[in-house]
């Protein structure tokens, strides 16, 4: 039976490419998101690899919605052995112009989505003897106005995976983050948009593939920075 990956944030860009990469390495893929039409191309690309794919409508920040989505993934594909959450940068402008709601969306939203989906997959992963929890992040910020908020998100992701990595190690579950270095890349760009973007994308996808595999069983609690080179 094929391994199953559950992916969020895969409507376009590197998130979509990462989903396809997992399928190319033999995984069936469940794609979670709010808009089925926005994920149609991702689903098509995955099925063209010969692997099974299902789109599941879900609000990844809502625990009940994620639990229902997980139940459907279980019934149609099986329990996910890999969770990949793709977290894009959220730019709401300069600090002095941010509202409380802007801050909640820029910082709280991405972190809550990773928390809710990670919590949901722990029990099935433990039941099945292990798993991989991964976040693919473009939140470093660079010189953009959102740099401060994005750095908070990256720091939160790093702290979260380091904490759960220790807790889940006895159950064979690893947790890691893949992020760009230096800052300034954009998950909304396709993997072939520029020479540098393509190099970053290739490295990020290779890191995701490695961390999702059996050979990475001893790698956990890490933030893996992928250098963007031309």
């Amino acid at each position: 039976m094929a391994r199953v990956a559950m992916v969020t944030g895969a409507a376009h860009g590197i998130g979509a490419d990462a989903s396809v990469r997992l399928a190319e390495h033999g995984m069936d893929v469940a794609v979670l998101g709010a808009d089925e039409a926005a994920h149609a191309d991702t689903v098509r690309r995955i099925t063209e690899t010969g692997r099974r794919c299902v789109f599941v409508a879900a609000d990844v920040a809502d625990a009940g919605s994620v639990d229902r989505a997980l139940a459907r993934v279980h019934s149609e594909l099986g329990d996910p052995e890999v969770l990949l959450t793709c977290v894009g940068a959220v730019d709401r402008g300069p600090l002095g112009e941010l509202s409380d709601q802007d801050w909640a969306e820029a910082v709280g939203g991405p972190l809550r989505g990773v928390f809710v989906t990670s919590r949901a997959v722990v029990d099935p992963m433990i039941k099945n003897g292990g798993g991989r929890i991964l976040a693919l992040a473009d939140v470093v910020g660079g010189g953009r106005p959102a740099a401060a908020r994005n750095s908070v998100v990256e720091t939160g992701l790093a702290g979260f995976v380091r904490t759960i990595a220790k807790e889940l190690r006895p159950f064979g579950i690893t947790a890691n983050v893949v992020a760009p270095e230096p800052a300034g890349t954009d998950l909304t760009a396709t993997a072939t948009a520029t020479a540098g973007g393509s190099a970053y994308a290739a490295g990020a996808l290779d890191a995701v593939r490695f961390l999702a595999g059996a050979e990475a069983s001893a790698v956990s609690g890490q933030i893996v920075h992928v250098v963007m080179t031309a």
Side-chain angles (χ1 to χ4, degrees):
M1 181 178 294
R3 300 171 71 205
V4 175
M6 190 168 81
V7 185
T8 73
H12 48 65
I14 295 178
D17 293 344
S19 302
V20 176
R21 180 64 63 91
L22 294 176
E24 289 172 344
H25 283 80
M27 297 186 198
D28 293 334
V29 182
V31 178
L32 273 59
D35 185 349
E36 184 170 8
H39 291 78
D41 187 61
T42 302
V43 173
R44 175 191 60 78
R45 291 172 61 197
I46 292 170
T47 56
E48 286 178 352
T49 70
R51 302 311 316 174
R52 294 184 297 164
C53 181
V54 60
F55 172 81
V56 184
D59 176 358
V60 298
D62 181 84
S65 181
V66 170
D67 287 343
R68 290 188 292 273
L70 185 61
R72 183 177 165 196
V73 174
H74 170 79
S75 68
E76 297 200 21
L77 299 179
D79 288 330
E81 185 176 338
V82 175
L83 170 67
L84 174 62
T85 55
C86 304
V87 181
V90 179
D91 193 342
R92 292 290 188 268
L95 180 62
E97 300 176 7
L98 286 180
S99 68
D100 289 352
Q101 183 64 28
D102 289 333
W103 177 266
E105 291 176 357
V107 175
L111 292 177
R112 178 165 175 78
V114 174
F115 160 68
V116 170
T117 54
S118 299
R119 181 180 61 183
V121 300
V122 166
D123 283 349
M125 285 184 177
I126 291 176
K127 179 186 70 176
N128 294 310
R132 304 282 182 267
I133 295 174
L134 304 173
L136 175 57
D138 177 29
V139 294
V140 183
R144 295 174 294 188
R149 274 79 69 203
N150 295 335
S151 295
V152 171
V153 174
E154 183 188 8
T155 300
L157 288 173
F160 178 68
V161 299
R162 286 171 183 154
T163 299
I164 67 171
K166 293 178 180 179
E167 177 183 340
L168 300 176
R169 183 179 301 146
F171 305 105
I173 301 172
T174 65
N176 295 285
V177 176
V178 176
E181 176 66 39
T185 60
D186 183 357
L187 279 182
T188 63
T190 63
T192 57
T194 66
S198 180
Y200 165 70
L205 298 183
D206 285 343
V208 167
R209 182 208 57 78
F210 169 73
L211 292 170
E215 63 269 36
S217 60
V219 181
S220 193
Q222 303 302 310
I223 180 160
V224 179
H225 285 108
V226 178
V227 176
M228 185 174 179
T229 58

